[in-house]
Amino acid sequence: MFVIDANSKTPLHIQLYNEIKKDIIKNYKLGDKLPSTRKTASLYNLSKNTVKSAYSQLVVEGYIESYPQSGYKVMDTLNIDYSKIEGLNLGDNKDEEDYLYDFFPVRLEKGSFPLKIWKRIFNKVIDSSLDFGSYSCGQGEFELRVEIAKYLNDYRGVKCQASQIIIYDGFANSMALLANILKQDYSTFAIEHPGYHYALKVFDSYNYKIKKINVDENGLNIESLKSSNVKIVYITPAHQYPTGVAMPIANRQKLLDWAKEENALIIEDDYDSELRYTSRPIPSLQGLDANDRVIFLGTFSKSLSPAIRVSYIVLAKHLLPLYEKSFEFDIPKVSLMTQKTLEYFMKEGHWERHLRKIRTLNRKKHNLMEKLLIEKLGDTMKIESKGGGLAILINPIVPFDWKLLKELALKNKIKLYFAKKFVGDEWNAITLGFGGLKEIEIPKAISIFSKIWMQSIKK
Amino acid sequence: MFVIDANSKTPLHIQLYNEIKKDIIKNYKLGDKLPSTRKTASLYNLSKNTVKSAYSQLVVEGYIESYPQSGYKVMDTLNIDYSKIEGLNLGDNKDEEDYLYDFFPVRLEKGSFPLKIWKRIFNKVIDSSLDFGSYSCGQGEFELRVEIAKYLNDYRGVKCQASQIIIYDGFANSMALLANILKQDYSTFAIEHPGYHYALKVFDSYNYKIKKINVDENGLNIESLKSSNVKIVYITPAHQYPTGVAMPIANRQKLLDWAKEENALIIEDDYDSELRYTSRPIPSLQGLDANDRVIFLGTFSKSLSPAIRVSYIVLAKHLLPLYEKSFEFDIPKVSLMTQKTLEYFMKEGHWERHLRKIRTLNRKKHNLMEKLLIEKLGDTMKIESKGGGLAILINPIVPFDWKLLKELALKNKIKLYFAKKFVGDEWNAITLGFGGLKEIEIPKAISIFSKIWMQSIKK
């Protein structure tokens, strides 16, 4: 028998829901029947609607199921604890809390998002007389595109107009748009090897023939590309993923020449370019191109927030009519409020200030982590990639017990990530993200990591 | 010579930008050179940076281009007026302003969005301690999915748990996700004829073999479906698009039996179901299904706002592992702020209140428009679809001059839409949207429309 308190501030149906839930977890087996709503209502002197509301909450959360005639039963999929549903990751991120340090490579410090400014601007936006009853512009708000074009011209050396920019909701969908509109004229797709395998997966899902082109100390090997007979190439020239190589100017020119001669297209993913710590940001390949062969991809995920879901495409001009014919052209991808807030955020100069701040913050963390790794791991490791972005990638150069490392990481409550997950299975490195850690946490985090690293070296 | 006022509140570079822009439009020809930044700076006693800033604004807006060595030239694509760029719709929607009445079929009254409540909740959300430095859950925030599951269980008769729901950014991308994850097991796709051709286009872009199944007075013809040998069918059973037919219960059962026998999948697009005016909303097909054969699609575009970009998928349970293996699983589609705001909007009961309000509002407009059409057009027309959604579809049943109608609409400044655009070329009707019009505007709008309709009847 539960205690339902009519004078409590918690609504009755929530009290009942909480009590039944506890009861199910403690006392019920799969398939057990719950008392009928009528019975429960009379037992606790509640209205039938109150009971129904509690039961329906339990249904949607998967604790119970409703069967016609036979009433409510505790679910036969052992769906009592969400985290236990077979094979389902419900993504409520409960597990993250359990780690002392999480080295996730694409993450910013929680406090780094400019909440106060964003809030002020959002309120301004919502008080302005926008029309939320209509579809906004499918390509993205014109004024936001102007701001992005200005930024790209000034800071990334991208030569573009607002009319070439498409506002999108993230990398994967941007790539899917490209794969879709290009497939009537193209059927082959080259990607760096090692490279970012999400890019590959998207084009693969549209049935492109995929070629992997080796990356050497100058980035993508241009000769291999030339002999591959491929017409679209996806590259990360500013800070190659995952090796961190920046493509030298001579190779950039060769790549552009190739594209011109072959009438090929280059998809330049400007991945991490804003976060360079050892040199100035390297101007884009797009800005060097005089033949309209480059499509440029950028995102606000890495330097503003991965949770606001805003990225953009700078389309080559000759592809605009193709895009306009696609049905995607009519359909906006990002909420009007977010677009307008970002527009004013950029227009009022906050974006530039924020970039400077975030770059300084992460440079410090990068340098500190690098220094500590060298100090503590010495010549047992090779740094595979550093100098930019939100992670340092390392590999052991001594006999190493990977399985033990993973076990020890778990035991010591640090969460490690491996490049494999993002690169596919052929290439690996431990990806030590510093973006999500506070500067003050890094010494302790690396200290624990170093200890388990040393223990994992095979004697 | 321009007047630049150092004491004005408008920044100097904006003043300069405005003056040069006017000057270009009035006095320049294509390819004309602008004075160098140095020259302009000294002429107006401005800093070179001020001038550069004005020039760079003109560059991104496409008025001028910068050429190495030779400086700034007025663009040779006659890019002076954005609306004139060859073949480009820049989507700044200028033309809408020129219409007296716009009958766009997917639109809500500007004032109907609950701005005040949304703003209050957004501010609460942003003051709560959310993490904008990390990726949020790829499937969508769990608590929002619980709210949607509750709503669907209670109001749409959908039997689902939060774990089956995926938050998405609109119909087209939802369909693309399905096309992508299903293509390893399925290769055929059936759609109603006439039907919503965006759905067809998405599956077509993933190379499915497409079959069109005729719609009769009971909706999709089940016998034709059975003989088509297709394994996925997309339908709009609540309010068939574009005919408005609701599928009767007997046919629903037959459809579900077919899916069970054939191990086929039904994609139920719950298009317009919340906006029924002549009957209660018809419970979903998904709720009748006992064999996990239905995928259910819903959206907030039609009853809350098309500008916030939130839709959802209720996946069949057995497809969840397939979805989790896709790379889409890791990637959220809607900003965390929007998701959390919507969650509290639903949790606090505003969504139900809003739905009632919007349904009443649009029922009145629907009934008024229907009455006026019958009054004024009498037996010269047939109503193809009514009783739900945001538009009434009609066709003439007398000899009719379509070209004249279009000309007269233009001349009388009313914007008409034709079902063709959404259905493909095979089926047509005039789609008279009432959602975006105020009730008080409808008599005048229909009065003008009736006049030009009558003039377009061939004598």
Side-chain angles (χ1 to χ4, degrees):
Chain A
M1 190 77 188
F2 320 137
V3 182
I4 304 290
D5 176 6
N7 298 316
S8 159
K9 274 207 286 192
T10 309
L12 294 171
H13 70 279
I14 302 284
Q15 291 185 51
L16 183 64
Y17 152 81
N18 282 326
E19 293 302 323
I20 299 178
K21 190 162 74 174
K22 276 189 252 164
D23 197 33
I24 289 175
I25 293 172
K26 259 169 108 175
N27 304 319
Y28 279 72
K29 292 192 312 299
L30 307 180
D32 280 358
K33 266 182 75 171
L34 246 61
S36 73
T37 49
R38 197 179 323 141
K39 208 163 156 187
T40 304
S42 85
L43 194 59
Y44 295 99
N45 197 20
L46 296 167
S47 84
K48 216 178 139 189
N49 273 340
T50 302
V51 180
K52 273 200 173 158
S53 171
Y55 276 41
S56 106
Q57 176 79 26
L58 291 162
V59 168
V60 299
E61 293 190 11
Y63 288 92
I64 59 177
E65 256 188 17
S66 147
Y67 292 85
Q69 261 76 55
S70 58
Y72 293 91
K73 286 187 189 168
V74 172
M75 267 195 65
D76 43 15
T77 46
L78 189 53
N79 196 3
I80 286 172
D81 179 352
Y82 265 109
S83 62
K84 285 192 187 126
I85 299 185
E86 6 126 24
L88 282 192
N89 174 357
L90 283 155
D92 42 0
N93 296 334
K94 268 180 214 147
D95 54 343
E96 276 184 27
E97 322 267 315
D98 296 341
Y99 289 94
L100 283 173
Y101 300 107
D102 184 337
F103 285 99
F104 191 68
V106 195
R107 199 171 170 194
L108 292 162
E109 256 178 66
K110 188 172 166 180
S112 69
F113 185 80
L115 265 190
K116 261 176 74 177
I117 299 171
W118 197 266
K119 183 179 165 184
R120 179 177 57 72
I121 298 177
F122 179 88
N123 281 291
K124 194 170 88 177
V125 162
I126 211 152
D127 287 338
S128 68
S129 178
L130 291 173
D131 184 357
F132 293 108
S134 301
Y135 279 85
S136 54
C137 174
Q139 191 171 349
E141 289 302 288
F142 182 70
E143 291 80 4
L144 173 58
R145 289 188 274 130
V146 167
E147 289 307 316
I148 292 174
K150 274 158 64 175
Y151 161 68
L152 292 177
N153 278 274
D154 292 352
Y155 287 82
R156 301 294 309 123
V158 173
K159 289 191 297 193
C160 69
Q161 295 161 31
S163 61
Q164 287 169 264
I165 293 180
I166 308 169
I167 308 293
Y168 242 78
D169 61 354
F171 174 80
N173 281 342
S174 306
M175 287 294 278
L177 170 70
L178 296 177
N180 193 12
I181 65 174
L182 297 176
K183 78 182 162 47
Q184 52 178 287
D185 297 323
Y186 298 86
S187 59
T188 50
F189 176 81
I191 184 168
E192 299 154 326
H193 176 70
Y196 189 48
H197 84 150
Y198 279 17
L200 182 156
K201 279 192 171 183
V202 175
F203 272 74
D204 185 47
S205 79
Y206 280 89
N207 289 324
Y208 283 76
K209 211 174 132 188
I210 311 284
K211 284 263 168 101
K212 296 182 178 182
I213 309 286
N214 279 338
V215 167
D216 56 33
E217 67 283 4
N218 292 322
L220 184 92
N221 187 299
I222 311 278
E223 293 310 314
S224 305
L225 177 66
K226 282 183 178 171
S227 61
S228 74
N229 217 9
V230 158
K231 298 290 184 198
I232 300 180
V233 63
Y234 165 86
I235 51 163
T236 50
H239 189 227
Q240 203 272 332
Y241 186 82
T243 66
V245 174
M247 186 180 272
I249 181 76
N251 279 33
R252 288 171 181 245
Q253 199 50 59
K254 277 187 208 160
L255 188 63
L256 291 171
D257 290 345
W258 164 82
K260 184 187 170 189
E261 278 156 33
E262 298 286 330
N263 251 316
L265 291 176
I266 298 165
I267 301 176
E268 175 178 23
D269 183 354
D270 202 38
Y271 178 78
D272 272 355
S273 70
E274 286 145 348
L275 300 172
R276 297 286 299 177
Y277 312 126
T278 50
S279 65
R280 296 200 49 196
I282 296 161
S284 71
L285 190 64
Q286 197 269 10
L288 293 174
D289 171 32
N291 301 291
D292 204 31
R293 306 318 311 170
V294 180
I295 299 163
F296 180 93
L297 301 181
T299 178
F300 289 94
S301 290
K302 305 287 189 298
S303 2
L304 184 56
S305 160
I308 65 162
R309 311 309 306 142
V310 188
S311 66
Y312 49 86
I313 303 171
V314 181
L315 215 52
K317 283 184 186 170
H318 73 279
L319 298 173
L320 282 167
L322 209 57
Y323 163 62
E324 285 166 45
K325 264 183 275 163
S326 78
F327 62 85
E328 304 275 1
F329 180 62
D330 290 328
I331 304 166
K333 297 297 185 292
V334 176
S335 96
L336 182 58
M337 291 149 189
T338 302
Q339 289 191 58
K340 295 305 280 184
T341 306
L342 183 55
E343 173 196 327
Y344 288 112
F345 186 79
M346 297 182 84
K347 205 177 259 169
E348 294 177 3
H350 304 297
W351 168 235
E352 287 168 33
R353 275 191 290 279
H354 175 78
L355 260 187
R356 279 198 298 274
K357 199 184 108 187
I358 214 84
R359 200 182 286 136
T360 307
L361 182 75
N362 284 295
R363 177 190 290 118
K364 279 192 200 164
K365 294 195 285 185
H366 167 274
N367 293 350
L368 176 61
M369 185 183 271
E370 186 191 0
K371 185 176 139 262
L372 291 170
L373 286 172
I374 293 172
E375 246 172 59
K376 294 189 185 270
L377 307 187
D379 47 14
T380 64
M381 65 139 190
K382 179 189 170 206
I383 294 184
E384 303 277 359
S385 174
K386 61 166 188 170
L390 297 167
I392 293 176
L393 278 66
I394 66 169
N395 262 328
I397 50 173
V398 288
F400 201 79
D401 188 340
W402 290 92
K403 201 166 149 258
L404 182 60
L405 179 80
K406 285 173 196 174
E407 283 167 17
L408 290 170
L410 209 63
K411 207 186 280 174
N412 285 274
K413 296 195 175 177
I414 65 171
K415 193 156 187 186
L416 292 182
Y417 298 83
F418 297 88
K420 261 214 280 226
K421 180 173 158 64
F422 308 100
V423 178
D425 276 337
E426 315 96 344
W427 194 91
N428 203 11
I430 304 170
T431 300
L432 295 167
F434 47 81
L437 298 172
K438 292 204 182 87
E439 193 180 345
I440 202 171
E441 294 176 315
I442 290 178
K444 186 76 186 143
I446 292 298
S447 159
I448 301 177
F449 172 74
S450 309
K451 218 172 65 193
I452 68 169
W453 169 284
M454 286 304 181
Q455 288 169 5
S456 307
I457 293 175
K458 286 184 181 163
K459 299 288 144 38
Chain B
M1 188 77 189
F2 320 136
V3 182
I4 304 292
D5 176 4
N7 298 316
S8 160
K9 272 208 284 193
T10 311
L12 294 171
H13 70 278
I14 302 284
Q15 291 185 50
L16 184 63
Y17 153 80
N18 282 326
E19 293 301 324
I20 299 178
K21 190 162 76 174
K22 277 189 253 164
D23 196 32
I24 289 174
I25 292 170
K26 258 169 103 178
N27 304 319
Y28 279 73
K29 292 191 312 297
L30 307 179
D32 281 357
K33 266 182 73 170
L34 247 61
S36 71
T37 50
R38 197 180 320 144
K39 207 164 157 186
T40 304
S42 86
L43 193 59
Y44 295 97
N45 198 20
L46 297 167
S47 83
K48 219 178 137 186
N49 273 342
T50 302
V51 179
K52 273 199 172 158
S53 172
Y55 277 40
S56 105
Q57 176 78 27
L58 291 162
V59 167
V60 299
E61 293 191 9
Y63 289 93
I64 59 177
E65 256 188 15
S66 148
Y67 292 85
Q69 262 76 53
S70 57
Y72 294 91
K73 287 186 188 169
V74 172
M75 266 195 65
D76 43 18
T77 45
L78 188 53
N79 194 2
I80 287 173
D81 179 352
Y82 265 107
S83 62
K84 286 194 186 124
I85 299 186
E86 3 126 27
L88 283 191
N89 173 356
L90 284 155
D92 40 2
N93 297 337
K94 268 180 213 145
D95 54 344
E96 276 185 29
E97 323 266 317
D98 297 342
Y99 289 93
L100 284 172
Y101 300 107
D102 184 337
F103 286 99
F104 191 68
V106 195
R107 201 172 168 191
L108 293 161
E109 256 179 67
K110 187 172 165 179
S112 69
F113 184 80
L115 265 189
K116 261 176 73 177
I117 298 171
W118 198 265
K119 182 179 163 184
R120 178 177 59 70
I121 297 177
F122 179 89
N123 281 293
K124 192 170 90 176
V125 163
I126 210 153
D127 287 338
S128 68
S129 179
L130 291 173
D131 184 358
F132 294 108
S134 300
Y135 279 85
S136 54
C137 174
Q139 192 172 348
E141 289 301 291
F142 183 69
E143 290 80 5
L144 174 58
R145 289 188 273 128
V146 167
E147 289 306 317
I148 291 174
K150 274 159 64 175
Y151 162 68
L152 292 177
N153 278 275
D154 293 350
Y155 288 83
R156 302 292 310 121
V158 173
K159 288 191 298 193
C160 70
Q161 295 162 31
S163 61
Q164 288 170 264
I165 293 182
I166 308 169
I167 308 291
Y168 242 78
D169 61 355
F171 173 80
N173 281 342
S174 306
M175 287 294 278
L177 171 71
L178 296 177
N180 193 11
I181 65 175
L182 298 176
K183 77 183 164 47
Q184 51 179 289
D185 297 321
Y186 298 86
S187 58
T188 50
F189 176 81
I191 183 169
E192 299 154 325
H193 176 73
Y196 189 47
H197 83 150
Y198 280 17
L200 182 156
K201 278 191 172 184
V202 175
F203 272 73
D204 185 48
S205 79
Y206 279 89
N207 289 324
Y208 284 75
K209 211 173 134 188
I210 311 284
K211 285 262 168 99
K212 296 182 178 184
I213 310 287
N214 279 339
V215 167
D216 56 32
E217 67 283 4
N218 291 323
L220 184 92
N221 186 299
I222 310 278
E223 293 310 314
S224 304
L225 178 67
K226 281 183 177 170
S227 62
S228 74
N229 216 10
V230 158
K231 298 290 183 199
I232 299 179
V233 62
Y234 165 87
I235 51 162
T236 51
H239 188 227
Q240 203 272 332
Y241 185 82
T243 65
V245 173
M247 185 180 272
I249 183 76
N251 280 32
R252 287 171 181 243
Q253 199 49 62
K254 277 187 209 162
L255 188 62
L256 291 170
D257 290 345
W258 164 82
K260 185 186 171 190
E261 279 156 32
E262 298 285 331
N263 251 317
L265 291 175
I266 298 165
I267 301 175
E268 175 178 23
D269 183 355
D270 202 38
Y271 179 77
D272 272 355
S273 68
E274 287 144 348
L275 301 172
R276 297 285 300 177
Y277 312 126
T278 49
S279 64
R280 295 201 49 197
I282 296 160
S284 70
L285 189 63
Q286 197 268 8
L288 293 173
D289 171 33
N291 301 289
D292 204 30
R293 307 317 311 170
V294 180
I295 300 163
F296 180 92
L297 301 181
T299 178
F300 290 94
S301 289
K302 305 286 189 297
S303 3
L304 183 57
S305 160
I308 65 161
R309 313 308 306 141
V310 188
S311 67
Y312 49 85
I313 302 170
V314 181
L315 216 51
K317 281 185 188 170
H318 73 279
L319 297 174
L320 281 168
L322 209 57
Y323 163 61
E324 283 166 46
K325 264 184 274 162
S326 79
F327 60 85
E328 303 275 359
F329 179 62
D330 291 327
I331 303 167
K333 297 297 185 291
V334 175
S335 97
L336 182 59
M337 291 148 189
T338 302
Q339 289 191 60
K340 295 305 281 184
T341 307
L342 183 55
E343 172 197 327
Y344 288 111
F345 185 79
M346 297 182 83
K347 206 175 259 168
E348 295 177 5
H350 303 297
W351 169 234
E352 288 168 34
R353 275 192 289 279
H354 174 78
L355 260 187
R356 278 198 297 275
K357 199 184 109 188
I358 215 84
R359 201 182 285 136
T360 307
L361 183 74
N362 284 295
R363 176 190 289 117
K364 278 191 201 165
K365 294 196 284 185
H366 167 274
N367 293 351
L368 177 60
M369 185 183 270
E370 185 190 1
K371 184 175 139 266
L372 291 170
L373 286 172
I374 293 172
E375 245 173 59
K376 293 187 184 270
L377 307 188
D379 49 15
T380 65
M381 64 140 192
K382 177 190 171 207
I383 294 183
E384 303 277 0
S385 173
K386 62 164 187 170
L390 298 167
I392 293 176
L393 277 64
I394 66 169
N395 262 328
I397 50 172
V398 289
F400 202 77
D401 188 341
W402 289 91
K403 201 168 150 257
L404 182 59
L405 179 80
K406 285 174 196 175
E407 282 167 17
L408 290 171
L410 209 63
K411 208 187 278 173
N412 287 274
K413 295 193 174 177
I414 64 170
K415 194 156 187 185
L416 293 182
Y417 298 85
F418 298 87
K420 258 213 280 225
K421 181 174 158 62
F422 308 100
V423 178
D425 277 337
E426 315 97 344
W427 194 91
N428 205 10
I430 303 171
T431 301
L432 295 167
F434 47 81
L437 299 172
K438 293 202 180 88
E439 193 180 347
I440 201 172
E441 293 176 316
I442 290 178
K444 185 76 187 147
I446 293 297
S447 159
I448 300 177
F449 172 73
S450 310
K451 220 171 64 192
I452 68 169
W453 169 283
M454 286 304 180
Q455 288 170 5
S456 306
I457 294 176
K458 285 184 182 163
K459 299 287 143 37

